[in-house]
């Protein structure tokens, strides 16, 4: 019996509305964990996108 191949996760591209929402949350200093759950993306993905856009993400304690 042959082994079944593992399914690789597919990357979901960022739409213009996703970027707009990310910028709004950046301005509001929403915690990254909340944004991740809301947008159904990982924290790492959001941080990377924010870095490429040149915006801060989350808040400092």
């Amino acid at each position: 019996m042959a082994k079944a191949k593992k399914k690789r996760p597919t990357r979901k591209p960022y739409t213009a509305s996703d970027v707009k929402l990310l910028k709004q949350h950046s301005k509001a200093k929403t915690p990254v964990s909340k944004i991740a759950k809301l947008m159904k993306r990982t924290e790492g993905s959001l941080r990377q996108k924010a870095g490429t856009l040149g915006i801060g993400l989350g808040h400092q304690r």
Side-chain angles (χ1 to χ4, degrees), residues 3 7 11 15 17 19 22 24 27 34 36-37 41-42 44 50-51 58-61:
K3 276 190 176 180
K7 203 173 186 185
R11 294 183 183 181
T15 61
S17 60
V19 172
L22 190 61
Q24 287 174 350
K27 205 166 205 155
K34 280 189 179 182
K37 286 177 186 171
R41 293 179 183 269
T42 62
H59 68 285
Q60 296 288 323
R61 287 184 182 239

Side-chain angles (χ1 to χ4, degrees), residues 6-29:
K6 284 189 178 180
K7 203 173 186 185
R8 281 189 156 183
T10 56
R11 294 183 183 181
K12 191 167 81 171
Y14 279 86
T15 61
S17 60
D18 286 339
V19 172
K20 188 177 178 182
L21 188 64
L22 190 61
K23 285 182 178 182
Q24 287 174 350
H25 282 291
S26 172
K27 205 166 205 155
K29 297 189 187 291

Side-chain angles (χ1 to χ4, degrees), residues 43-55:
E43 289 183 26
S45 166
L46 293 170
R47 288 183 192 283
Q48 243 182 352
K49 187 62 177 180
T52 59
L53 293 172
I55 58 175

